[in-house]
Amino acid sequence: PENALTVATWIIHVSSLVEFLVAMGFAWRWADISGNQTWKGLTWGLIPLHSSGITACTYHLFYNQIPILVPFQAFLTCLGNTTAAYAAYRIAVSNNWAFPLEQLYFLNMDKGDVSATGSEVKEESPSLVGFEDLGDALANDNDYTFLVKLFVGCAVASYAIKYGELFFDFPFDANVYLGISVILVPSMLNAFKWYKRSQDPKFEGWF
């Protein structure tokens, strides 16, 4: 079809889904390493955004023939941005952050000179570093070999999606219920994976 994505574009879509899963894993592992369990809330907060990415891929999988998926993806993106922001807020509060009301000048106009408040410099927190372990399978990889493996894996998957779906009829049928199922099933499996991991730390999941 003329509106089919190129392999390069599929690589971008597939890699974005993988990156969300990796980010979820980073947040989950950091919660255990740091002892701050609110980081696990960030993993949960990213799930709607991951589902939004799945929705975009599903839309293109059916050659853009299910228009309802466009506003559905927008809804998931808005929801995911909200849940991720709230999760980030909880992490900040757990680290004794408080909203700096004193820096809102218009609220302090009757409290004398506020210039000192604006010039106050707070020490910047050190950046998060040291996330080398992506699981036992990639524990010995450096950044370059990991990126190569990630690219090759996404490229193979993208090639399989682009040309493999031509052997089936469902992408051309544009069945709305099938499209929704393609989104909901992996999304629910993803959520159930993190639920199981919260109950059993040794559970690594299926993907």
Side-chain angles (χ1 to χ4, degrees):
E2 294 182 355
N3 61 349
L5 298 186
T6 63
V7 173
T9 308
W10 269 117
I11 290 175
I12 295 174
H13 280 69
V14 173
S15 64
S16 67
L17 297 181
V18 175
E19 289 164 2
F20 267 109
L21 292 175
V22 171
M24 292 177 189
F26 278 164
W28 198 272
R29 288 176 182 272
W30 185 245
D32 293 331
I33 293 173
S34 65
N36 185 351
Q37 296 303 304
T38 56
W39 277 94
K40 291 184 178 179
L42 183 59
T43 297
W44 289 104
L46 291 176
I47 288 179
L49 290 174
H50 183 256
S51 297
S52 174
I54 296 176
T55 304
C57 291
T58 303
Y59 180 67
H60 296 305
L61 182 69
F62 288 89
Y63 298 111
N64 309 347
Q65 298 179 93
I66 308 180
I68 194 175
L69 296 184
V70 176
F72 185 57
Q73 185 199 7
F75 166 74
L76 288 175
T77 301
C78 180
L79 176 63
N81 288 339
T82 303
T83 54
Y86 178 67
Y89 168 77
R90 291 181 66 244
I91 293 171
V93 170
S94 70
N95 287 283
N96 300 319
W97 178 85
F99 191 81
L101 290 175
E102 69 278 1
Q103 293 185 13
L104 299 180
Y105 301 143
F106 64 90
L107 296 178
N108 294 274
M109 294 301 293
D110 58 341
K111 296 183 180 180
D113 186 13
V114 296
S115 60
T117 304
S119 62
E120 181 180 356
V121 178
K122 295 187 177 180
E123 183 178 356
E124 184 177 357
S125 300
S127 300
L128 224 56
V129 294
F131 294 103
E132 295 91 359
D133 185 16
L134 296 178
D136 294 338
L138 300 176
N140 296 323
D141 286 5
N142 57 37
D143 292 341
Y144 300 105
T145 56
F146 168 70
L147 289 175
V148 169
K149 289 182 179 181
L150 177 63
F151 175 80
V152 172
C154 291
V156 172
S158 300
Y159 189 89
I161 293 173
K162 177 176 175 60
Y163 296 105
E165 65 175 336
L166 296 176
F167 292 97
F168 303 93
D169 294 329
F170 73 86
F172 303 94
D173 295 337
N175 186 300
V176 175
Y177 299 105
L178 180 58
I180 296 296
S181 298
V182 172
I183 298 168
L184 292 182
V185 171
S187 296
M188 290 188 296
L189 286 174
N190 188 27
F192 184 69
K193 174 185 66 177
W194 297 112
Y195 168 76
K196 286 285 292 182
R197 189 170 293 183
S198 66
Q199 303 297 314
D200 180 11
K202 295 182 180 179
F203 180 77
E204 290 295 334
W206 315 280
F207 54 90

